[in-house]
Amino acid sequence: MTADDYVYGWQRTVDPETASEYAYLYGYVENGDEIIEGDKEPSELGIKAINDYELEIQLDNPTPFFDNLLALPSLFPQPQDVAEEKGENYAKTGDDSVYNGPFTLTEFEGAGSDTEWSYTANEEYWDKDNVDLDKINVSVVKESSTGLNLFNDGQTDDVVLTGELAQQNVNDPEYQSIKSARTTYVEVNQEDENSPFKNKDLRLALSYAIDRESLVDQVLGDGSEPSTNLLPQETGKDPNTDKDFTEVSESTLEYNPEKAQEHWEKAKDELGIDSLEFDLLAEDTDSTKRVGEYIQGAWEELEGMKVNSTTVPFTARIDRSTEGDFDAVVGGWGAEYADPSTFIDLFESGSAYNFGKWKNDEYDKLVEASSTTHVNEPEERFQDLIEAEKVINEEMGVIPVYQKAEGHMVSDNVKGIVSHSAGPKYDYKWVSVKK
């Protein structure tokens, strides 16, 4: 691996022909946005190799969290000879990929179709003497009960539990709850000028109607926590006090059926309607289906509100969200890096990830100030982000529901799994298994 592998990999990813969904991360690099828009060539990206082992990177603007971005797979190096040899099949399967980490992906036939694969120790890895495992076998098991049976039979060492099974095993010494810097939220479609969801009172009614505490305790039971606002924990700290963003920001979320009904009545008057029927879209995984059903039931407690539930596979949910083909959708976001901007930037009016098309001029100005006027002033920048979150919470531009955690049963024989709340989730380099 040399510096040229970074130059090629970055230019390839930012190239519009590659159609990388994470190309936006290169918007911080000089000419990145212009290349993504097709106005400049990938070769004009602000990166060059000084020699085999030194890179020079130019940014369009100061980016306080840029060092965190460098840990993301989307900014990893890519060897030109392998990418060109594999062509359209590059990275589609384990055999069509290339690796320089502690493990290689083996027996993987392709995303969306394969249900079993392995991580095999990489004999070419520079620090292979400190990798204890030879192989990690992975199986997709959609039902928690099946996974638990496999675990109890000694056929697997780490399984995910949800719902009642997580609750039943929470006191087991082999049970772990692993928190993610991820918020599950509901977006409502506000793109059409005539959309009822452009009404603030309707959005507030929907939020007040959700008992988040009951949802995480009774439906999920996996250690997930009710959202206090849009950002989850461990997504940034106050530069003065080192307190977590969620401790400093004002919480405006609460379960209050009386307020829900009050805002619903106001919304009906303002919209000139007596009832409202709409569709709630969710993924077809066990836990998300349960969440969708719970939210559906909570909203239908509001007199005159009828909610139809539709569940689809993850890829279909993403496609429909991107295309704006929904009324309300259970979605969410996991922090790519530990900075509040990874969430706040999502809901700028021009963001491709603002699926509901919520728009607020004050919010846009605060987000812009955090990345331009105050980008080199940590205290002022942090205050911009605090104020921006206050705006989106008070306006209920999106409806935060809970911070995601995963309930796991992990064998006592397995030691050394490292989990990260933001960015790539797990690191298995230091794992060992007691014989």
Side-chain angles (χ1 to χ4, degrees):
M1 187 184 77
T2 67
D4 284 331
D5 295 320
Y6 278 93
V7 175
Y8 172 77
W10 285 30
Q11 291 177 352
R12 181 183 181 278
T13 303
V14 79
D15 189 336
E17 289 190 10
T18 304
S20 169
E21 61 183 287
Y22 285 101
Y24 73 92
L25 292 171
Y26 290 88
Y28 303 104
V29 182
E30 185 180 54
N31 297 327
D33 284 332
E34 290 88 343
I35 297 168
I36 293 168
E37 295 298 322
D39 297 328
K40 288 189 175 181
E41 293 299 315
S43 59
E44 297 179 79
L45 188 67
I47 181 173
K48 66 179 180 180
I50 303 301
N51 54 51
D52 280 352
Y53 302 108
E54 288 184 272
L55 280 168
E56 181 179 285
I57 299 168
Q58 297 287 340
L59 304 182
D60 263 338
N61 296 293
T63 307
F65 48 85
F66 191 77
D67 54 345
N68 289 339
L69 296 184
L70 295 174
L72 300 179
S74 297
L75 282 82
F76 282 3
Q78 300 179 55
Q80 184 172 358
D81 57 340
V82 175
E84 292 181 348
E85 176 191 345
K86 299 295 184 180
E88 292 184 358
N89 291 324
Y90 176 52
K92 284 188 176 180
T93 70
D95 291 340
D96 292 317
S97 303
V98 65
Y99 315 90
N100 64 359
F103 297 97
T104 65
L105 180 61
T106 53
E107 301 161 49
F108 181 71
E109 302 300 328
S113 59
D114 207 351
T115 59
E116 293 189 351
W117 60 87
S118 300
Y119 305 128
T120 301
N122 184 0
E123 289 300 316
E124 303 299 321
Y125 183 52
W126 70 275
D127 197 26
K128 66 179 182 179
D129 290 343
N130 286 315
V131 179
D132 190 61
L133 294 183
D134 295 322
K135 197 172 188 180
I136 302 170
N137 297 315
V138 183
S139 297
V140 175
V141 178
K142 292 190 176 182
E143 299 294 334
S144 286
S145 57
T146 304
L148 183 58
N149 288 336
L150 292 170
F151 182 84
N152 289 333
D153 289 343
Q155 297 183 52
T156 189
D157 299 294
D158 182 352
V159 297
V160 176
L161 298 186
T162 60
E164 292 181 4
L165 288 179
Q167 297 170 39
Q168 292 168 8
N169 289 276
V170 69
N171 294 318
D172 191 298
E174 293 184 304
Y175 179 85
Q176 299 179 15
S177 179
I178 302 173
K179 188 182 298 182
S180 298
R182 178 180 179 83
T183 298
T184 292
Y185 49 72
V186 176
E187 287 189 84
V188 290
N189 198 330
Q190 304 170 58
E191 184 170 18
D192 192 315
E193 279 300 318
N194 297 318
S195 168
F197 300 112
K198 292 183 78 69
N199 184 280
K200 178 181 175 180
D201 281 300
L202 174 57
R203 301 195 302 270
L204 288 171
L206 296 176
S207 178
Y208 280 123
I210 301 172
D211 186 347
R212 295 166 175 82
E213 192 83 43
S214 177
L215 188 153
V216 298
D217 289 343
Q218 299 179 20
V219 178
L220 295 173
D222 54 9
S224 295
E225 297 185 5
S227 290
T228 57
N229 36 40
L230 173 61
L231 267 70
Q233 298 170 33
E234 300 182 27
T235 324
K237 295 183 178 181
D238 187 320
N240 283 327
T241 66
D242 210 35
K243 287 185 176 180
D244 192 88
F245 189 99
T246 57
E247 296 181 63
V248 181
S249 60
E250 296 180 12
S251 174
T252 57
L253 299 179
E254 63 172 306
Y255 169 56
N256 191 318
E258 291 78 18
K259 284 186 178 181
Q261 190 63 43
E262 177 186 333
H263 283 287
W264 172 226
E265 294 301 329
K266 286 182 180 179
K268 287 192 288 186
D269 288 342
E270 292 159 358
L271 294 168
I273 59 176
D274 294 320
S275 62
L276 180 65
E277 181 174 353
F278 61 93
D279 188 73
L280 176 64
L281 179 67
E283 291 167 31
D284 62 358
T285 58
D286 185 44
S287 60
T288 308
K289 281 196 295 186
R290 289 172 180 265
V291 169
E293 290 166 359
Y294 187 91
I295 294 173
Q296 176 188 18
W299 287 349
E300 289 191 333
E301 290 293 316
L302 298 171
E303 185 178 349
M305 188 171 290
K306 170 66 175 173
V307 182
N308 304 308
S309 180
T310 300
T311 58
V312 296
F314 171 78
T315 53
R317 195 268 294 173
I318 291 293
D319 288 343
R320 288 187 57 175
S321 297
T322 304
E323 294 165 5
D325 182 18
F326 66 92
D327 296 324
V329 57
V330 180
W333 188 259
E336 299 288 352
Y337 47 91
D339 186 87
S341 63
T342 188
F343 275 87
I344 298 296
D345 289 358
L346 293 175
F347 300 104
E348 276 190 291
S349 56
S351 169
Y353 294 88
N354 182 3
F355 298 135
K357 306 303 179 187
W358 173 74
K359 178 176 171 55
N360 182 282
D361 291 340
E362 182 184 0
Y363 184 88
D364 286 350
K365 289 176 183 177
L366 288 164
V367 176
E368 183 179 7
S370 73
S371 61
T372 54
T373 309
H374 297 145
V375 70
N376 276 331
E377 300 169 350
E379 295 176 12
E380 289 81 357
R381 177 178 182 269
F382 187 80
Q383 192 59 39
D384 288 336
L385 296 168
I386 286 283
E387 292 297 323
E389 192 196 43
K390 182 178 179 181
V391 170
I392 196 171
N393 282 332
E394 290 181 347
E395 291 291 318
M396 206 47 60
V398 296
I399 304 171
V401 182
Y402 65 91
Q403 177 171 354
K404 176 66 177 170
E406 280 188 347
H408 285 247
M409 293 293 289
V410 181
S411 171
D412 281 338
N413 294 328
V414 177
K415 307 295 181 184
I417 298 176
V418 176
S419 63
H420 306 280
S421 58
K425 182 64 178 171
Y426 297 106
D427 195 333
Y428 297 114
K429 174 179 176 177
W430 295 277
V431 173
S432 62
V433 179
K434 185 172 64 178
K435 306 300 183 185

